[in-house]
Amino acid sequence: MIGSAQNLYFPPTTGSTWETLPPESLNWCPEKIDLLNNFLEDNNTKAFILLKDGKIVLESYFNGHTENAPWQWASAGKTITSFVTGIAQQEGFLSINDPTATYLGEGWTSCTASDELTITIEHQLTMTSGLNDGVSDPTCTSSSCLECIATPGSRWAYHNAPYTLLDPVIETATGSSLNDYTTQKLKTPTGMNGLFVSVQNNKVFFSTARSMARFGLLMLNQGNWNGNQILTDPDYFNQMITASQALNEAYGYLWWLNGTATYMLPGLQSVFNGPLFPLAPDDTYAAMGKDGQFLNVIPSENMVWIRMGEDPGNLPIPFLLNDQIWEYINDLECELSTTDVSQPQLQLTPNPAQERFTVTASKEMVSIEVFTAQHRLVKSQQTSGLDTTLKVTSLPPGLYFVKVYFADGTTRVQKLLVL
């Protein structure tokens, strides 16, 4: 057995029974839950579920959506493909080190035969195939659309076509359709529903929100469903959720990773400093798709949450919505009484700030980081004691997030407005 999270509940694989955990048991305030739900509804959300220890704490449906209605995962469904690729490998049908041409045949790209043979399944899983994502249609899987522009493994680029071609790799290797293999190896053992559906050049997974939550719970328990170790290869599981290459530290095997020093984003070759989600715990990893389809897994909190919905409409990068949801989750706790000192208290003064601001805390601090609203780290300072002053004269006016690390290992984040 790979290992498992502690004290997890698993819903039955049939029926609609799922134990709940009252929000008040976590000291979550009803009015703050209302604020979260209002934010979700205002941003075109269809479904939101938050699990703690496997139990449902929050579950809401908006804009006419229901518990039994399916919705697209978009690119968040890539993580299902990653998972079943690992199962196909553990069953001996393939090795991720195999050339993709072993399963798709010679000429699946427009590269030379020798160059084509250097592209492996692992390159497809890590978005490092070296194929040109700048073609007119990056979802096109015809050989004429697949041009070699870099040595595989030397360039990270979010490219749908090589990912989509993992589907026929799995089908050729296993002798089963992608839907049949996913049903047998993943859906039936966990009680998930859903189906991969052809949408133009892509195969998109559709399911209910609770099925997405089930998959998150399976991942939280390291591929083990209530004692049934579905993914038995610990090396592959760990590779899925750790940096798969040095180019984009925030990308595993089709999973997005928090807590890394740098990250890259789809459609760009730029490298950004700081974690992908400054407001989320560092060990968070996520499945993310177009229009804000999110599955967050947080081992340190024994937590999973999912959001399904339409384009929030007011964000240049829907990824930002994930961090905005975290802002509301982080604020769910009721105000602590003066006798409750289990959580460090934090104050930024003045706020708004012009030249400098002071961070005052109730517990010893060790470092402070300041991030822009676009997740870029702009200031980092080591400290000690209960108060520290930082200059902001070099920062353009705007909204920032101040993340404080405490000596006891906890962190807190607060907004700072710079004038």
Side-chain angles (χ1 to χ4, degrees):
M1 182 173 173
I2 296 178
S4 60
Q6 297 299 311
N7 303 317
L8 280 180
Y9 163 81
F10 292 86
T13 55
T14 58
S16 59
T17 300
W18 199 316
E19 287 189 15
T20 61
L21 187 66
E24 56 267 25
S25 69
L26 301 175
N27 195 35
W28 288 1
C29 289
E31 59 270 24
K32 293 188 175 184
I33 295 172
D34 290 341
L35 289 174
L36 169 62
N37 284 333
N38 291 340
F39 173 80
L40 292 168
E41 185 168 22
D42 289 345
N43 283 276
N44 297 330
T45 299
K46 293 285 188 180
F48 181 82
I49 298 174
L50 187 148
L51 309 180
K52 176 72 172 175
D53 301 332
K55 299 178 181 180
I56 294 176
V57 185
L58 303 175
E59 182 176 25
S60 299
Y61 299 94
F62 310 93
N63 301 308
H65 202 71
T66 65
E67 176 185 328
N68 297 318
W71 190 255
Q72 63 158 333
W73 289 35
S75 286
K78 287 179 168 69
T79 57
I80 291 180
T81 303
S82 173
F83 194 92
V84 297
T85 298
I87 294 177
Q89 178 174 256
Q90 79 188 20
E91 293 187 332
F93 289 118
L94 56 79
S95 166
I96 61 171
N97 297 316
D98 291 340
T100 302
T102 302
Y103 305 94
L104 300 186
E106 184 179 349
W108 69 275
T109 69
S110 61
C111 309
T112 65
S114 58
D115 285 344
E116 184 178 89
L117 281 172
T118 63
I119 303 172
T120 67
I121 296 173
E122 186 170 24
H123 292 132
Q124 294 174 273
L125 289 167
T126 58
M127 296 289 181
T128 59
S129 67
L131 296 171
N132 186 8
D133 61 308
V135 294
S136 58
D137 181 4
T139 70
C140 173
T141 56
S142 299
S143 59
S144 59
C145 300
L146 303 174
E147 309 165 354
C148 282
I149 61 169
T151 302
S154 68
R155 178 178 184 269
W156 187 90
Y158 195 85
H159 191 181
N160 264 327
Y163 153 74
T164 301
L165 287 170
L166 280 169
D167 299 347
V169 166
I170 294 169
E171 292 177 338
T172 300
T174 64
S176 299
S177 71
L178 180 63
N179 275 317
D180 286 348
Y181 196 67
T182 303
T183 296
Q184 179 187 358
K185 302 300 178 180
L186 176 61
K187 289 161 52 183
T188 299
T190 62
M192 289 176 62
N193 57 36
L195 200 67
F196 281 101
V197 177
S198 294
V199 179
Q200 297 178 338
N201 292 323
N202 302 310
K203 284 189 177 178
V204 180
F205 195 73
F206 287 76
S207 83
T208 60
R210 284 193 174 193
S211 283
M212 183 183 267
R214 283 176 182 265
F215 185 55
L217 182 54
L218 175 69
M219 290 297 298
L220 179 63
N221 207 37
Q222 301 181 42
N224 182 294
W225 186 267
N226 200 21
N228 177 16
Q229 192 68 53
I230 296 172
L231 183 57
T232 60
D233 183 347
D235 291 335
Y236 185 88
F237 184 89
N238 291 329
Q239 287 163 352
M240 280 198 299
I241 57 171
T242 54
S244 57
Q245 26 65 51
L247 303 164
N248 184 359
E249 296 178 312
Y251 207 69
Y253 285 175
L254 305 175
W255 284 91
W256 290 94
L257 318 174
N258 198 40
T260 58
T262 61
Y263 64 92
M264 296 177 68
L265 293 173
L268 301 173
Q269 285 297 299
S270 303
V271 177
F272 300 93
N273 291 324
L276 190 61
F277 309 127
L279 301 184
D282 284 346
D283 65 336
T284 302
Y285 57 92
M288 298 197 289
K290 180 182 177 181
D291 296 339
Q293 319 309 321
F294 300 136
L295 163 59
N296 283 229
V297 181
I298 313 96
S300 61
E301 301 288 340
N302 244 18
M303 182 188 292
V304 170
W305 67 258
I306 71 102
R307 183 265 184 190
M308 288 177 158
E310 297 179 318
D311 184 355
N314 58 352
L315 295 172
I317 305 173
F319 287 12
L320 298 177
L321 178 64
N322 196 83
D323 215 36
Q324 287 184 323
I325 294 171
W326 268 111
E327 181 178 0
Y328 283 88
I329 293 174
N330 290 338
D331 194 43
L332 284 172
E333 285 193 19
C334 299
E335 296 298 328
L336 297 172
S337 69
T338 56
T339 58
D340 186 346
V341 295
S342 61
Q343 294 292 326
Q345 301 299 292
L346 184 65
Q347 186 175 16
L348 310 181
T349 54
N351 190 5
Q354 286 184 298
E355 296 183 355
R356 59 181 54 84
F357 70 98
T358 299
V359 182
T360 304
S362 61
K363 291 186 179 181
E364 183 179 359
M365 301 179 288
V366 293
S367 64
I368 300 171
E369 295 176 339
V370 180
F371 297 89
T372 67
Q374 290 73 40
H375 305 168
R376 185 168 63 89
L377 180 67
V378 292
K379 185 178 286 288
S380 179
Q381 183 168 314
Q382 300 298 308
T383 186
S384 61
L386 302 180
D387 61 83
T388 297
T389 298
L390 292 84
K391 292 183 178 180
V392 294
T393 50
S394 63
L395 300 181
L399 178 66
Y400 294 84
F401 294 102
V402 178
K403 186 172 185 178
V404 178
Y405 296 80
F406 296 94
D408 63 0
T410 59
T411 62
R412 292 292 298 272
V413 176
Q414 282 197 15
K415 291 181 182 178
L416 174 71
L417 186 62
V418 175
L419 300 178

